[in-house]
Amino acid sequence: MTKSVKSNVNYIRSLIVSSIYHAGSGHPGGCLSCVDIVDYLYRYHMSYSFLDCDNVSRDRFIMSKGHCVPTIYAVFCDMEYISLSELKTLRKINSRLQGHSHRVAFPQVEVSTGSLAQGFSFAIGESLGLKLQGYSNNVYAMIGDGELQEGQIWEGAMFAAHHNLGNLCTIVDYNKMQSDDLNENIIKLEPLQNKWESFGWNVFNIDGHNPNQIREVFSAAMSKENQKPSVVIAHTIKGKGVSYMESIPSWHGSVKLTEEDCRKALKDLECTDNEIEVLMSA
Amino acid sequence: MLRSPDLVGKSQDSLREAFGKSLILLAEDYPSLVVLDADVAGGTGVHHFRKNFPDRFIQCGIAEQNMISVAAGMAETGLIPIVTTFAVFLLRAYEQVRLSVAYSQMNVKLVGSHCGLDVGPDGGSAQCLEDIAAFRAIPNMSVIVPASPIEINQATRFIIEHKGPIYMRSGRSPLEECLDNSYKFEFGKGKYLSRGSDLTIISCGVCTGRSIQVVKDLKELDINVELINMSTIKPIDQKIIIESAKRTSKVVTVEDHSIIGGLGSAVAEVLSEYHPTPLKRIGVKDTFGESGEPDELACKYGIDQVSIKNTIINWLKNETKG
């Protein structure tokens, strides 16, 4: 289908919603909140080639909040690395598009996930491995806010600062919500900036949906003089772009989208009638 | 400093000490080799590596979950990480082993010291009696349990050369060398240490040295034992188990591990499926250990030389009656 002139990220959001609709289950809220950053990193920022995915000297993006891997699949689809018909095999048998990423099934997703915080430590290991071998590439790890409740995150935060991993940039997709409720009603995270600073990290705060702030923060965070690891606290909106999902925790998932849900979401995301039919069709 | 004769595992070394010395010799041949430690280098034998190769020694602090996933990430960049800590603390990071290492097929080597009652005075919390069972259950994982300094020297080279996730047991107590200098470790193969037609004993780890003595004791009673050292628990050598069981019709397993899920279970799985044979599993009987010297504990829990011999004699009597 021909891409319309509207913003890329809304089209990617449409791909996410329709893939989760076809899957019959998935986590739309957190997938929609992190799109802008994931798309920016893959499309404009990282030194990365889909076809050369085992090149050691590549930048790496690690989606540690692995239930949001549909965002990566959708970005890959929009960049024409995978087809729309393959995107619709998400979570289906014999598909490489596993519900949580599996690096053996699909090496380009970089990491296997499904248990929070492990991707973060995996990214730290890659950063250290690259540094020890003299590579100058960077590693970007996206973690969820609820994920910060895992003890392993803080084990890794101490480790990365101790080993001066200036080639590591972590992004917290801070949509303020997790599976059951607001973070602050589950286990509160604030003061979040102070926590990371006291662990020895450079901390940046941005609006995670603002393209200018996204562009500027990664060039600032990854300056070559960096000795410390950096964390970008990206303030985002869960379910961004879909009116009935925005800031409602129950859309964290895993949810089943009805046909009506999906059509309404695609409308909200400014899809044309023709686009909606293509995205809805099996 | 390198390749000094002092840095070769030898008789009276513990398995952890022999393992630590082997790493020094191998580090020169394998520049991608790195060692990860969780503040127990003195206890796992990797203090030798830390001293000789400080740049390739990664201190992870007391944070095993992060250590395992970090190792997986390092492996992704082409390094060969050897992760070392007490076996029970590897269990603490069991799910990281499952996802970050095994499910992802990352080339990470786990070496657990402080296994079985052999740990001694630290007590039941530190005596890992479930590690073989736990790691054997994970797809893509191999499990190796060397019997002596000579064997762990060879097995350490193997785990570095082999591509894929492996768990290897070392051990805490000094061990008399029980294998000949001509012994050759082979991954996935059991090795006959004696031949006989009355009974098969299959052993691993510190129980192999004891079983060698038991074979001599039983010989005096005119019982000819076929002893197999089964240092690879997964993949298990089905062929040698079936071959020997056909010859002797009676099999005993001996291990410093729970009788649930370890060597005994692995052998039982093979025999019950392919060649049903009377089997006696000797090991720790679904209980935790306690403080004490390793030889006292082995005696109390029935896995020292005398208990192994007596258990076998009594079992044979009952089997004959049967």
Side-chain angles (χ1 to χ4, degrees), chain A residues 56 58 60 102-104 112-115 118 121-122 124-126 128-130 132-133 152 155-156 159 163, chain B residues 34 55 58-60 63-66 69-70 72-74 76-79 95-96 99-100 103-106:
Chain A
V56 178
R58 70 187 185 282
R60 289 156 175 80
H102 187 199
R103 62 167 278 121
V104 178
S112 300
T113 56
S115 177
Q118 294 193 36
S121 297
F122 188 89
I124 292 168
E126 290 180 317
L128 180 58
L130 291 172
L132 285 178
Q133 296 174 89
Q152 186 175 349
E155 292 183 1
F159 179 95
H163 289 281
Chain B
V34 291
D55 297 341
I58 312 300
Q59 179 57 260
C60 297
E64 294 79 9
Q65 300 173 46
N66 180 61
S69 302
V70 161
M74 294 182 83
E76 192 285 310
T77 68
L79 296 172
E95 204 240 316
Q96 282 75 10
L99 177 67
S100 296
Y103 184 66
S104 306
Q105 295 182 15
M106 301 313 296

Side-chain angles (χ1 to χ4, degrees), chain B residues 138-157:
Chain B
I138 301 179
N140 298 335
M141 287 292 293
S142 300
V143 176
I144 297 178
V145 183
S148 79
I150 280 182
E151 186 164 47
I152 204 167
N153 289 344
Q154 298 177 31
T156 303
R157 177 178 289 278

Side-chain angles (χ1 to χ4, degrees), chain A residues 209-225:
Chain A
H209 303 303
N210 181 312
N212 293 332
Q213 290 187 25
I214 291 171
R215 191 175 58 248
E216 283 162 17
V217 79
F218 287 112
S219 49
M222 303 320 284
S223 85
K224 291 294 169 204
E225 298 79 51

Side-chain angles (χ1 to χ4, degrees), chain A residues 13 28-36 65 145 173-177 206-209 234-243 245-248:
Chain A
R13 286 193 170 93
C31 290
L32 295 172
S33 63
C34 66
V35 173
D36 307 74
K65 48 172 214 151
D145 43 18
D173 183 23
Y174 198 14
N175 56 38
K176 321 292 190 295
M177 280 173 209
I206 62 163
D207 170 353
H209 303 303
H235 297 264
T236 57
I237 295 167
K238 197 146 197 170
K240 171 76 175 170
V242 178
S243 56
M245 287 186 192
E246 282 196 5
S247 301
I248 310 285

Side-chain angles (χ1 to χ4, degrees), chain A residues 170-281:
Chain A
T170 296
I171 304 109
V172 178
D173 183 23
Y174 198 14
N175 56 38
K176 321 292 190 295
M177 280 173 209
Q178 53 195 102
S179 187
D180 257 8
D181 203 343
L182 298 172
N183 304 141
E184 66 179 43
N185 292 337
I186 302 285
I187 289 288
K188 67 181 176 194
L189 304 174
E190 292 294 342
L192 191 52
Q193 172 160 348
N194 296 1
K195 281 192 174 74
W196 286 101
E197 281 170 350
S198 68
F199 274 74
W201 288 57
N202 291 321
V203 184
F204 301 84
N205 277 278
I206 62 163
D207 170 353
H209 303 303
N210 181 312
N212 293 332
Q213 290 187 25
I214 291 171
R215 191 175 58 248
E216 283 162 17
V217 79
F218 287 112
S219 49
M222 303 320 284
S223 85
K224 291 294 169 204
E225 298 79 51
N226 250 354
Q227 292 300 307
K228 290 181 180 181
S230 295
V231 59
V232 174
I233 299 176
H235 297 264
T236 57
I237 295 167
K238 197 146 197 170
K240 171 76 175 170
V242 178
S243 56
Y244 63 90
M245 287 186 192
E246 282 196 5
S247 301
I248 310 285
S250 60
W251 291 102
H252 172 93
S254 180
V255 298
K256 182 175 172 60
L257 295 179
T258 63
E259 185 180 343
E260 191 190 343
D261 292 334
C262 189
R263 286 187 182 278
K264 182 157 176 17
L266 296 178
K267 278 265 185 222
D268 284 355
L269 293 165
E270 300 167 340
C271 287
T272 63
D273 289 347
N274 181 44
E275 284 173 334
I276 291 173
E277 290 319 307
V278 172
L279 290 171
M280 296 298 297
S281 70

Side-chain angles (χ1 to χ4, degrees), chain B residues 132 136 202 204 233 236 241 251-255 257-271 279-283:
Chain B
I132 298 173
R136 193 167 78 86
I202 304 177
C204 65
I233 312 292
I236 194 87
I241 295 171
V251 177
V252 173
T253 58
V254 192
E255 61 193 312
H257 183 277
S258 170
I259 56 166
I260 298 176
L263 170 68
S265 296
V267 170
E269 287 159 17
V270 174
L271 289 177
L279 170 70
K280 180 70 184 168
R281 291 170 300 147
I282 299 176

Side-chain angles (χ1 to χ4, degrees), chain A residues 15 18-25 70 73 77 82-99 106 279 281-282:
Chain A
L15 293 172
S18 64
S19 68
I20 292 173
Y21 162 70
H22 288 289
S25 62
Y73 300 150
C77 181
I82 64 177
S83 68
L84 181 59
S85 60
E86 183 175 12
L87 191 71
K88 291 175 183 174
T89 67
L90 169 67
R91 288 178 167 247
K92 298 215 189 298
I93 194 159
N94 298 326
S95 172
R96 59 179 174 165
L97 308 189
Q98 294 290 294
F106 192 177
L279 290 171
S281 70

